[in-house]
Amino acid sequence: MIREIITYPNKILKQKSRDVTQFDATLHTLLDDMYETMMAKNGIGLAAIQIAEPLNALIINLPDEEDKQRKENLVEVINPKILEMDGTTVYTEGCLSVPEYYEDVQRAERIKVSFCDRHGNEKIYEYDGLMAIAFQHECDHLKGELFIEKLSYLKRKKFEKEWKKKLKGKK
Ligand code: CO
């Protein structure tokens, strides 16, 4: 089922998510809903809190070399931990909760992570490139943080001004 994505400045996005304890049908339905919702909005990542579920669950589905998002490349991440970070990289990020806004954000270039799959099996991976960036972006959502909080003071001020204007225009 496609769910509603909540957008900035909805306070739910500031909530800290909690660990998943039951790897059951309810979790599987949530993950399936997250996938449908993300694909409907052409996103490459989504955290559960973005559909108002404060659980440590996120999904990432990067496009392949042909720029196609294939379901077999979908990564479901439950209760993630970033174990190691290394290097720095800058990438122009966007977020389905801050639609149509893109800005450069600095993050670690490489990360080592642990997380569970939908059945509760723990995995450890090392990521770089866009996967490392997306993983860090989505993990921030679980802490109640958005990428706009990483902007410089001036860029953030400019964003707030533009965003207010945009919200006004929609009313
Ligand atoms: Co986001």
Side-chain angles (χ1 to χ4, degrees):
M1 188 176 74
I2 294 176
R3 308 265 293 260
E4 189 195 341
I5 296 181
I6 52 178
T7 56
Y8 182 79
N10 191 316
K11 284 198 170 62
I12 294 173
L13 292 167
K14 291 181 94 76
Q15 222 173 299
K16 283 189 175 55
S17 294
R18 58 177 190 275
D19 270 350
V20 171
T21 53
Q22 309 277 353
F23 294 83
D24 57 6
T26 308
L27 174 68
H28 297 170
T29 303
L30 171 66
L31 291 166
D32 294 343
D33 284 356
M34 285 168 65
Y35 178 73
E36 272 189 61
T37 305
M38 180 185 77
M39 294 307 282
K41 294 278 186 187
N42 300 312
I44 60 167
L46 189 76
I49 192 67
Q50 291 179 275
I51 56 166
E53 300 277 0
L55 288 172
N56 286 329
L58 61 93
I59 58 170
I60 297 172
N61 193 1
L62 300 186
D64 64 12
E65 314 79 58
E66 290 165 26
D67 213 26
K68 288 210 175 78
Q69 265 176 299
R70 297 183 199 279
K71 190 152 188 197
E72 66 250 38
N73 293 326
L74 172 67
V75 183
E76 295 177 332
V77 175
I78 318 299
N79 301 344
K81 284 192 192 76
I82 298 180
L83 307 171
E84 290 170 27
M85 297 173 129
D86 184 34
T88 55
T89 186
V90 174
Y91 187 79
T92 310
E93 297 187 16
C95 180
L96 292 176
S97 291
V98 193
E100 292 156 46
Y101 180 77
Y102 303 90
E103 192 50 80
D104 287 355
V105 176
Q106 187 180 311
R107 297 193 183 273
E109 192 177 12
R110 288 173 297 276
I111 53 174
K112 185 177 178 180
V113 300
S114 72
F115 59 88
C116 291
D117 66 12
R118 63 161 60 200
H119 304 292
N121 303 308
E122 201 181 345
K123 296 153 184 291
I124 291 181
Y125 286 108
E126 286 181 16
Y127 292 132
D128 59 12
L130 185 53
M131 186 63 192
I133 292 163
F135 201 99
Q136 291 170 78
H137 175 117
E138 299 310 328
C139 281
D140 279 354
H141 277 296
L142 307 183
K143 293 185 283 182
E145 292 169 14
L146 296 172
F147 78 105
I148 49 171
E149 285 161 59
K150 295 198 175 294
L151 303 181
S152 69
Y153 177 76
L154 282 176
K155 275 185 179 170
R156 179 62 189 267
K157 270 199 109 165
K158 191 161 168 268
F159 162 78
E160 292 295 343
K161 214 173 147 187
E162 284 170 12
W163 199 255
K164 261 185 201 144
K165 221 164 126 186
K166 182 179 151 160
L167 291 180
K168 247 187 186 167
K170 281 195 171 153
K171 267 176 204 161

